[in-house]
PDB file of all heavy atoms in Angstrom:
ATOM      1  N   ILE A  98      23.730  13.810  17.909  1.00 94.00           N
ATOM      2  CA  ILE A  98      25.187  13.833  17.770  1.00 94.00           C
ATOM      3  C   ILE A  98      25.711  15.250  17.997  1.00 94.00           C
ATOM      4  O   ILE A  98      26.715  15.454  18.688  1.00 94.00           O
ATOM      5  CB  ILE A  98      25.611  13.303  16.387  1.00 94.00           C
ATOM      6  CG1 ILE A  98      25.335  11.796  16.306  1.00 94.00           C
ATOM      7  CG2 ILE A  98      27.082  13.605  16.105  1.00 94.00           C
ATOM      8  CD1 ILE A  98      25.490  11.209  14.916  1.00 94.00           C
ATOM      9  N   ALA A  99      25.025  16.240  17.436  1.00 95.00           N
ATOM     10  CA  ALA A  99      25.457  17.639  17.591  1.00 95.00           C
ATOM     11  C   ALA A  99      25.437  18.055  19.057  1.00 95.00           C
ATOM     12  O   ALA A  99      26.378  18.695  19.543  1.00 95.00           O
ATOM     13  CB  ALA A  99      24.570  18.557  16.764  1.00 95.00           C
ATOM     14  N   ALA A 100      24.383  17.696  19.766  1.00 96.00           N
ATOM     15  CA  ALA A 100      24.285  18.066  21.183  1.00 96.00           C
ATOM     16  C   ALA A 100      25.432  17.458  21.983  1.00 96.00           C
ATOM     17  O   ALA A 100      26.063  18.135  22.805  1.00 96.00           O
ATOM     18  CB  ALA A 100      22.935  17.631  21.753  1.00 96.00           C
ATOM     19  N   ARG A 101      25.712  16.176  21.728  1.00 95.00           N
ATOM     20  CA  ARG A 101      26.819  15.530  22.442  1.00 95.00           C
ATOM     21  C   ARG A 101      28.159  16.155  22.067  1.00 95.00           C
ATOM     22  O   ARG A 101      29.005  16.384  22.932  1.00 95.00           O
ATOM     23  CB  ARG A 101      26.819  14.026  22.161  1.00 95.00           C
ATOM     24  CG  ARG A 101      25.637  13.324  22.804  1.00 95.00           C
ATOM     25  CD  ARG A 101      25.771  11.812  22.888  1.00 95.00           C
ATOM     26  NE  ARG A 101      26.423  11.156  21.791  1.00 95.00           N
ATOM     27  CZ  ARG A 101      25.808  10.400  20.877  1.00 95.00           C
ATOM     28  NH1 ARG A 101      24.501  10.220  20.927  1.00 95.00           N
ATOM     29  NH2 ARG A 101      26.491   9.811  19.920  1.00 95.00           N
ATOM     30  N   ALA A 102      28.357  16.439  20.789  1.00 93.00           N
ATOM     31  CA  ALA A 102      29.623  17.023  20.338  1.00 93.00           C
ATOM     32  C   ALA A 102      29.830  18.415  20.924  1.00 93.00           C
ATOM     33  O   ALA A 102      30.940  18.762  21.323  1.00 93.00           O
ATOM     34  CB  ALA A 102      29.668  17.075  18.818  1.00 93.00           C
ATOM     35  N   LEU A 103      28.766  19.206  21.001  1.00 94.00           N
ATOM     36  CA  LEU A 103      28.888  20.547  21.571  1.00 94.00           C
ATOM     37  C   LEU A 103      29.231  20.502  23.057  1.00 94.00           C
ATOM     38  O   LEU A 103      29.768  21.469  23.601  1.00 94.00           O
ATOM     39  CB  LEU A 103      27.597  21.343  21.356  1.00 94.00           C
ATOM     40  CG  LEU A 103      27.335  21.784  19.914  1.00 94.00           C
ATOM     41  CD1 LEU A 103      25.927  22.347  19.779  1.00 94.00           C
ATOM     42  CD2 LEU A 103      28.372  22.787  19.454  1.00 94.00           C
ATOM     43  N   ARG A 104      28.948  19.384  23.693  1.00 95.00           N
ATOM     44  CA  ARG A 104      29.291  19.208  25.110  1.00 95.00           C
ATOM     45  C   ARG A 104      30.617  18.477  25.292  1.00 95.00           C
ATOM     46  O   ARG A 104      30.992  18.148  26.406  1.00 95.00           O
ATOM     47  CB  ARG A 104      28.161  18.474  25.813  1.00 95.00           C
ATOM     48  CG  ARG A 104      26.913  19.337  25.936  1.00 95.00           C
ATOM     49  CD  ARG A 104      25.858  18.689  26.816  1.00 95.00           C
ATOM     50  NE  ARG A 104      24.758  19.602  27.005  1.00 95.00           N
ATOM     51  CZ  ARG A 104      23.628  19.586  26.297  1.00 95.00           C
ATOM     52  NH1 ARG A 104      23.443  18.672  25.367  1.00 95.00           N
ATOM     53  NH2 ARG A 104      22.672  20.461  26.538  1.00 95.00           N
ATOM     54  N   GLY A 105      31.310  18.192  24.189  1.00 92.00           N
ATOM     55  CA  GLY A 105      32.638  17.602  24.274  1.00 92.00           C
ATOM     56  C   GLY A 105      32.754  16.142  23.898  1.00 92.00           C
ATOM     57  O   GLY A 105      33.853  15.615  23.782  1.00 92.00           O
ATOM     58  N   ASP A 106      31.632  15.444  23.705  1.00 93.00           N
ATOM     59  CA  ASP A 106      31.674  14.029  23.343  1.00 93.00           C
ATOM     60  C   ASP A 106      31.596  13.895  21.826  1.00 93.00           C
ATOM     61  O   ASP A 106      30.532  13.992  21.240  1.00 93.00           O
ATOM     62  CB  ASP A 106      30.506  13.281  23.996  1.00 93.00           C
ATOM     63  CG  ASP A 106      30.432  11.815  23.581  1.00 93.00           C
ATOM     64  OD1 ASP A 106      31.357  11.323  22.893  1.00 93.00           O
ATOM     65  OD2 ASP A 106      29.436  11.161  23.938  1.00 93.00           O
ATOM     66  N   ARG A 107      32.740  13.683  21.199  1.00 86.00           N
ATOM     67  CA  ARG A 107      32.775  13.574  19.741  1.00 86.00           C
ATOM     68  C   ARG A 107      32.874  12.117  19.286  1.00 86.00           C
ATOM     69  O   ARG A 107      33.189  11.845  18.129  1.00 86.00           O
ATOM     70  CB  ARG A 107      33.943  14.389  19.198  1.00 86.00           C
ATOM     71  CG  ARG A 107      33.669  15.879  19.345  1.00 86.00           C
ATOM     72  CD  ARG A 107      34.915  16.701  19.191  1.00 86.00           C
ATOM     73  NE  ARG A 107      34.701  18.095  19.573  1.00 86.00           N
ATOM     74  CZ  ARG A 107      34.699  18.553  20.805  1.00 86.00           C
ATOM     75  NH1 ARG A 107      34.871  17.733  21.817  1.00 86.00           N
ATOM     76  NH2 ARG A 107      34.504  19.825  21.065  1.00 86.00           N
ATOM     77  N   SER A 108      32.589  11.189  20.166  1.00 88.00           N
ATOM     78  CA  SER A 108      32.736   9.772  19.843  1.00 88.00           C
ATOM     79  C   SER A 108      31.792   9.321  18.731  1.00 88.00           C
ATOM     80  O   SER A 108      32.098   8.373  18.010  1.00 88.00           O
ATOM     81  CB  SER A 108      32.510   8.917  21.091  1.00 88.00           C
ATOM     82  OG  SER A 108      31.186   9.086  21.583  1.00 88.00           O
ATOM     83  N   ALA A 109      30.677   9.986  18.556  1.00 86.00           N
ATOM     84  CA  ALA A 109      29.729   9.581  17.526  1.00 86.00           C
ATOM     85  C   ALA A 109      30.077  10.158  16.153  1.00 86.00           C
ATOM     86  O   ALA A 109      29.493   9.774  15.151  1.00 86.00           O
ATOM     87  CB  ALA A 109      28.315  10.008  17.917  1.00 86.00           C
ATOM     88  N   VAL A 110      31.038  11.074  16.111  1.00 82.00           N
ATOM     89  CA  VAL A 110      31.446  11.669  14.840  1.00 82.00           C
ATOM     90  C   VAL A 110      32.521  10.769  14.260  1.00 82.00           C
ATOM     91  O   VAL A 110      33.680  10.838  14.634  1.00 82.00           O
ATOM     92  CB  VAL A 110      31.977  13.110  15.035  1.00 82.00           C
ATOM     93  CG1 VAL A 110      32.380  13.719  13.704  1.00 82.00           C
ATOM     94  CG2 VAL A 110      30.930  13.964  15.727  1.00 82.00           C
ATOM     95  N   ARG A 111      32.105   9.901  13.341  1.00 76.00           N
ATOM     96  CA  ARG A 111      33.008   8.871  12.844  1.00 76.00           C
ATOM     97  C   ARG A 111      33.422   9.048  11.396  1.00 76.00           C
ATOM     98  O   ARG A 111      34.382   8.476  10.961  1.00 76.00           O
ATOM     99  CB  ARG A 111      32.366   7.493  13.000  1.00 76.00           C
ATOM    100  CG  ARG A 111      32.321   7.060  14.441  1.00 76.00           C
ATOM    101  CD  ARG A 111      31.609   5.745  14.569  1.00 76.00           C
ATOM    102  NE  ARG A 111      30.451   6.058  15.405  1.00 76.00           N
ATOM    103  CZ  ARG A 111      29.270   5.557  15.271  1.00 76.00           C
ATOM    104  NH1 ARG A 111      29.016   4.688  14.356  1.00 76.00           N
ATOM    105  NH2 ARG A 111      28.287   5.913  16.064  1.00 76.00           N
ATOM    106  N   PHE A 112      32.668   9.798  10.630  1.00 71.00           N
ATOM    107  CA  PHE A 112      32.951   9.884   9.211  1.00 71.00           C
ATOM    108  C   PHE A 112      34.223  10.685   8.972  1.00 71.00           C
ATOM    109  O   PHE A 112      34.307  11.847   9.356  1.00 71.00           O
ATOM    110  CB  PHE A 112      31.777  10.531   8.476  1.00 71.00           C
ATOM    111  CG  PHE A 112      31.864  10.390   7.000  1.00 71.00           C
ATOM    112  CD1 PHE A 112      31.572   9.185   6.387  1.00 71.00           C
ATOM    113  CD2 PHE A 112      32.266  11.446   6.215  1.00 71.00           C
ATOM    114  CE1 PHE A 112      31.650   9.056   5.013  1.00 71.00           C
ATOM    115  CE2 PHE A 112      32.362  11.335   4.841  1.00 71.00           C
ATOM    116  CZ  PHE A 112      32.053  10.128   4.244  1.00 71.00           C
ATOM    117  N   PRO A 113      35.223  10.101   8.355  1.00 66.00           N
ATOM    118  CA  PRO A 113      36.505  10.802   8.177  1.00 66.00           C
ATOM    119  C   PRO A 113      36.471  11.781   7.001  1.00 66.00           C
ATOM    120  O   PRO A 113      36.993  11.514   5.934  1.00 66.00           O
ATOM    121  CB  PRO A 113      37.484   9.655   7.919  1.00 66.00           C
ATOM    122  CG  PRO A 113      36.653   8.613   7.245  1.00 66.00           C
ATOM    123  CD  PRO A 113      35.272   8.738   7.862  1.00 66.00           C
ATOM    124  N   VAL A 114      35.826  12.900   7.215  1.00 75.00           N
ATOM    125  CA  VAL A 114      35.708  13.891   6.146  1.00 75.00           C
ATOM    126  C   VAL A 114      36.609  15.086   6.461  1.00 75.00           C
ATOM    127  O   VAL A 114      36.745  15.484   7.612  1.00 75.00           O
ATOM    128  CB  VAL A 114      34.235  14.324   5.970  1.00 75.00           C
ATOM    129  CG1 VAL A 114      33.725  15.043   7.194  1.00 75.00           C
ATOM    130  CG2 VAL A 114      34.047  15.167   4.736  1.00 75.00           C
ATOM    131  N   SER A 115      37.226  15.616   5.426  1.00 84.00           N
ATOM    132  CA  SER A 115      38.049  16.812   5.626  1.00 84.00           C
ATOM    133  C   SER A 115      37.150  18.043   5.558  1.00 84.00           C
ATOM    134  O   SER A 115      36.036  17.996   5.026  1.00 84.00           O
ATOM    135  CB  SER A 115      39.124  16.900   4.541  1.00 84.00           C
ATOM    136  OG  SER A 115      38.532  17.204   3.286  1.00 84.00           O
ATOM    137  N   VAL A 116      37.647  19.135   6.082  1.00 83.00           N
ATOM    138  CA  VAL A 116      36.895  20.388   6.048  1.00 83.00           C
ATOM    139  C   VAL A 116      36.621  20.777   4.599  1.00 83.00           C
ATOM    140  O   VAL A 116      35.505  21.160   4.245  1.00 83.00           O
ATOM    141  CB  VAL A 116      37.666  21.502   6.791  1.00 83.00           C
ATOM    142  CG1 VAL A 116      37.029  22.855   6.582  1.00 83.00           C
ATOM    143  CG2 VAL A 116      37.761  21.165   8.270  1.00 83.00           C
ATOM    144  N   GLU A 117      37.630  20.669   3.746  1.00 86.00           N
ATOM    145  CA  GLU A 117      37.463  21.046   2.340  1.00 86.00           C
ATOM    146  C   GLU A 117      36.453  20.142   1.637  1.00 86.00           C
ATOM    147  O   GLU A 117      35.626  20.608   0.845  1.00 86.00           O
ATOM    148  CB  GLU A 117      38.810  21.010   1.613  1.00 86.00           C
ATOM    149  CG  GLU A 117      38.748  21.561   0.211  1.00 86.00           C
ATOM    150  CD  GLU A 117      38.151  22.966   0.095  1.00 86.00           C
ATOM    151  OE1 GLU A 117      38.458  23.822   0.933  1.00 86.00           O
ATOM    152  OE2 GLU A 117      37.352  23.192  -0.824  1.00 86.00           O
ATOM    153  N   ALA A 118      36.493  18.839   1.923  1.00 89.00           N
ATOM    154  CA  ALA A 118      35.543  17.913   1.301  1.00 89.00           C
ATOM    155  C   ALA A 118      34.110  18.221   1.753  1.00 89.00           C
ATOM    156  O   ALA A 118      33.180  18.170   0.940  1.00 89.00           O
ATOM    157  CB  ALA A 118      35.908  16.472   1.635  1.00 89.00           C
ATOM    158  N   ALA A 119      33.943  18.543   3.031  1.00 88.00           N
ATOM    159  CA  ALA A 119      32.610  18.882   3.533  1.00 88.00           C
ATOM    160  C   ALA A 119      32.108  20.174   2.894  1.00 88.00           C
ATOM    161  O   ALA A 119      30.928  20.273   2.511  1.00 88.00           O
ATOM    162  CB  ALA A 119      32.629  19.016   5.053  1.00 88.00           C
ATOM    163  N   ALA A 120      32.982  21.169   2.766  1.00 89.00           N
ATOM    164  CA  ALA A 120      32.589  22.434   2.136  1.00 89.00           C
ATOM    165  C   ALA A 120      32.190  22.205   0.682  1.00 89.00           C
ATOM    166  O   ALA A 120      31.170  22.725   0.219  1.00 89.00           O
ATOM    167  CB  ALA A 120      33.731  23.446   2.228  1.00 89.00           C
ATOM    168  N   ALA A 121      32.967  21.409  -0.025  1.00 91.00           N
ATOM    169  CA  ALA A 121      32.658  21.124  -1.430  1.00 91.00           C
ATOM    170  C   ALA A 121      31.336  20.377  -1.564  1.00 91.00           C
ATOM    171  O   ALA A 121      30.532  20.671  -2.458  1.00 91.00           O
ATOM    172  CB  ALA A 121      33.800  20.321  -2.060  1.00 91.00           C
ATOM    173  N   ARG A 122      31.084  19.425  -0.672  1.00 90.00           N
ATOM    174  CA  ARG A 122      29.831  18.675  -0.739  1.00 90.00           C
ATOM    175  C   ARG A 122      28.640  19.580  -0.468  1.00 90.00           C
ATOM    176  O   ARG A 122      27.614  19.490  -1.139  1.00 90.00           O
ATOM    177  CB  ARG A 122      29.846  17.517   0.260  1.00 90.00           C
ATOM    178  CG  ARG A 122      28.605  16.670   0.164  1.00 90.00           C
ATOM    179  CD  ARG A 122      28.658  15.465   1.056  1.00 90.00           C
ATOM    180  NE  ARG A 122      27.452  14.662   0.872  1.00 90.00           N
ATOM    181  CZ  ARG A 122      27.131  13.641   1.641  1.00 90.00           C
ATOM    182  NH1 ARG A 122      27.925  13.286   2.630  1.00 90.00           N
ATOM    183  NH2 ARG A 122      26.027  12.977   1.428  1.00 90.00           N
ATOM    184  N   CYS A 123      28.769  20.464   0.518  1.00 90.00           N
ATOM    185  CA  CYS A 123      27.683  21.398   0.818  1.00 90.00           C
ATOM    186  C   CYS A 123      27.416  22.324  -0.358  1.00 90.00           C
ATOM    187  O   CYS A 123      26.260  22.581  -0.706  1.00 90.00           O
ATOM    188  CB  CYS A 123      28.005  22.218   2.068  1.00 90.00           C
ATOM    189  SG  CYS A 123      27.857  21.276   3.595  1.00 90.00           S
ATOM    190  N   GLU A 124      28.475  22.833  -0.965  1.00 91.00           N
ATOM    191  CA  GLU A 124      28.308  23.702  -2.132  1.00 91.00           C
ATOM    192  C   GLU A 124      27.613  22.966  -3.265  1.00 91.00           C
ATOM    193  O   GLU A 124      26.711  23.504  -3.914  1.00 91.00           O
ATOM    194  CB  GLU A 124      29.663  24.236  -2.600  1.00 91.00           C
ATOM    195  CG  GLU A 124      30.266  25.255  -1.666  1.00 91.00           C
ATOM    196  CD  GLU A 124      31.715  25.576  -1.976  1.00 91.00           C
ATOM    197  OE1 GLU A 124      32.380  24.810  -2.713  1.00 91.00           O
ATOM    198  OE2 GLU A 124      32.183  26.591  -1.449  1.00 91.00           O
ATOM    199  N   GLN A 125      28.027  21.731  -3.503  1.00 92.00           N
ATOM    200  CA  GLN A 125      27.425  20.936  -4.583  1.00 92.00           C
ATOM    201  C   GLN A 125      25.965  20.626  -4.287  1.00 92.00           C
ATOM    202  O   GLN A 125      25.106  20.733  -5.165  1.00 92.00           O
ATOM    203  CB  GLN A 125      28.212  19.638  -4.793  1.00 92.00           C
ATOM    204  CG  GLN A 125      27.775  18.863  -6.012  1.00 92.00           C
ATOM    205  CD  GLN A 125      28.025  19.611  -7.304  1.00 92.00           C
ATOM    206  OE1 GLN A 125      29.124  20.122  -7.523  1.00 92.00           O
ATOM    207  NE2 GLN A 125      27.035  19.702  -8.159  1.00 92.00           N
ATOM    208  N   ALA A 126      25.664  20.254  -3.043  1.00 91.00           N
ATOM    209  CA  ALA A 126      24.275  19.943  -2.672  1.00 91.00           C
ATOM    210  C   ALA A 126      23.388  21.176  -2.821  1.00 91.00           C
ATOM    211  O   ALA A 126      22.260  21.080  -3.335  1.00 91.00           O
ATOM    212  CB  ALA A 126      24.221  19.411  -1.242  1.00 91.00           C
ATOM    213  N   ALA A 127      23.891  22.330  -2.413  1.00 90.00           N
ATOM    214  CA  ALA A 127      23.120  23.571  -2.549  1.00 90.00           C
ATOM    215  C   ALA A 127      22.902  23.897  -4.017  1.00 90.00           C
ATOM    216  O   ALA A 127      21.806  24.311  -4.420  1.00 90.00           O
ATOM    217  CB  ALA A 127      23.828  24.721  -1.842  1.00 90.00           C
TER     218      ALA A 127
END
């Protein structure tokens, strides 16, 4: 998915997460 997204195809990125929610989840997981 990352390789495709870096080349412009973001169709596989489906999870509707906000930047803040992703940052909070990463902080909590760490």
Side-chain angles (χ1 to χ4, degrees):
I98 291 170
R101 291 196 324 252
L103 288 170
R104 290 189 174 97
D106 176 7
R107 289 164 191 81
S108 62
V110 181
R111 288 176 242 143
F112 192 76
V114 65
S115 70
V116 171
E117 188 53 42
R122 183 175 182 189
C123 286
E124 289 168 344
Q125 188 64 49

